[in-house]
Amino acid sequence: MRVLTLLVVALLAVVLVACSGDDGNQAPFEVSGPPRAVDEDGTGEDSATAASSAGEAPTVAYRGARATPPLPKPDVVLTDTNGDPFDLLAETEGYLTLLYLGYTHCPDICPTHLLELSKVLEAMDPELVERIRVVFITTDPERDDAAAIRRWLDLFDSSFIGLTIEPDTLSSLLTFLGMPQITKRDIGDGRYTVNHATFLIAYTPDNLGHIVYPFLQGGGLREIMEHDLPLLAENGWQEPS
């Protein structure tokens, strides 16, 4: 059965695209392959399912893009939308942590990415969803105060955790994550867009981000996450075999 392949961008190793912009940057980690869509007939059967059907031991296969080496979870204390300190490592210990950096004024990619994620979680087994924490960190600290972030995240899922951050801390965090520094594009009348990396990092309970989910211009992101997130939430990281 043929599996369709989706290109993240022109080069497979690049998983950074600009939000509402044209700048591209190469990540300091390699990606083993682009995210894969479900099978052409929509059944979603992959080699693991086929092996199980044949009576063989099922293999582990993810459809997101694999980061090699995996990304360590940041050890940082920020401020949540209630004004309380949020220790990222401590507060997400033992959870599948889905980290996204974006901004509330984004006209396209950020809201689409979070909407797709919210729809995936809505359809999942609630017991598995309880094992997941979604964390959003703004890349636009000048405009995104706690109230703005909370209002925006509530449009997708009230359980999403929103964090404010100081510009200097944001710069250090981006360096740690291997993401490009933030750039702005003036669009007139005092308004601007923010160019930033647009991918979701999935940190399993080992506190490593093995899989990333870039925004896909051609669609298919929801189906990819529908396949992977239940596996990661239930079993944690399993080396693909």
Side-chain angles (χ1 to χ4, degrees):
M1 189 171 294
R2 188 165 66 92
V3 177
L4 299 180
T5 299
L6 296 174
L7 289 179
V8 179
V9 286
L11 298 177
L12 300 186
V14 178
V15 293
L16 304 181
V17 294
C19 187
S20 192
D22 298 324
D23 297 334
N25 298 273
Q26 183 165 329
F29 52 88
E30 295 182 354
V31 175
S32 60
R36 295 184 300 147
V38 295
D39 294 325
E40 194 169 35
D41 64 359
T43 63
E45 183 178 7
D46 56 19
S47 58
T49 305
S52 179
S53 299
E56 303 172 7
T59 59
V60 178
Y62 302 105
R63 293 200 168 110
R66 184 175 178 184
T68 51
L71 304 172
K73 187 188 293 182
D75 184 2
V76 63
V77 179
L78 302 177
T79 303
D80 68 18
T81 52
N82 292 320
D84 298 322
F86 187 91
D87 186 323
L88 185 60
L89 275 179
E91 297 286 351
T92 61
E93 182 67 32
Y95 290 96
L96 170 62
T97 304
L98 306 177
L99 178 64
Y100 190 82
L101 276 70
Y103 69 114
T104 68
H105 287 75
C106 177
D108 41 33
I109 294 177
C110 297
T112 301
H113 219 142
L114 290 186
L115 179 62
E116 293 289 82
L117 174 59
S118 70
K119 294 300 182 183
V120 171
L121 297 178
E122 185 179 304
M124 278 179 57
D125 182 340
E127 292 187 4
L128 290 181
V129 176
E130 287 296 319
R131 304 181 189 180
I132 298 174
R133 291 291 180 268
V134 177
V135 178
F136 172 88
I137 299 175
T138 180
T139 57
D140 187 13
E142 293 181 9
R143 292 184 294 186
D144 283 348
D145 59 18
I149 293 172
R150 187 69 269 153
R151 286 194 302 269
W152 190 71
L153 290 179
D154 284 348
L155 297 174
F156 309 105
D157 191 313
S158 60
S159 73
F160 287 2
I161 299 164
L163 303 177
T164 59
I165 190 170
E166 294 299 321
D168 288 347
T169 307
L170 174 60
S171 178
S172 298
L173 177 62
L174 293 172
T175 298
F176 178 83
L177 293 172
M179 293 181 176
Q181 293 299 312
I182 299 304
T183 61
K184 299 177 182 178
R185 183 167 66 90
D186 184 11
I187 56 176
D189 298 324
R191 298 175 299 134
Y192 59 86
T193 59
V194 177
N195 290 335
H196 64 92
T198 53
F199 58 87
L200 183 76
I201 306 173
Y203 291 100
T204 41
D206 60 1
N207 288 329
L208 293 174
H210 298 274
I211 303 290
V212 298
Y213 298 96
F215 180 78
L216 299 177
Q217 296 285 355
L221 177 63
R222 185 185 303 187
E223 292 78 9
I224 290 168
M225 292 191 296
E226 283 175 343
H227 174 272
D228 285 7
L229 297 189
L231 295 176
L232 293 170
E234 184 169 11
N235 304 312
W237 172 250
Q238 296 178 293
E239 194 69 23
S241 57

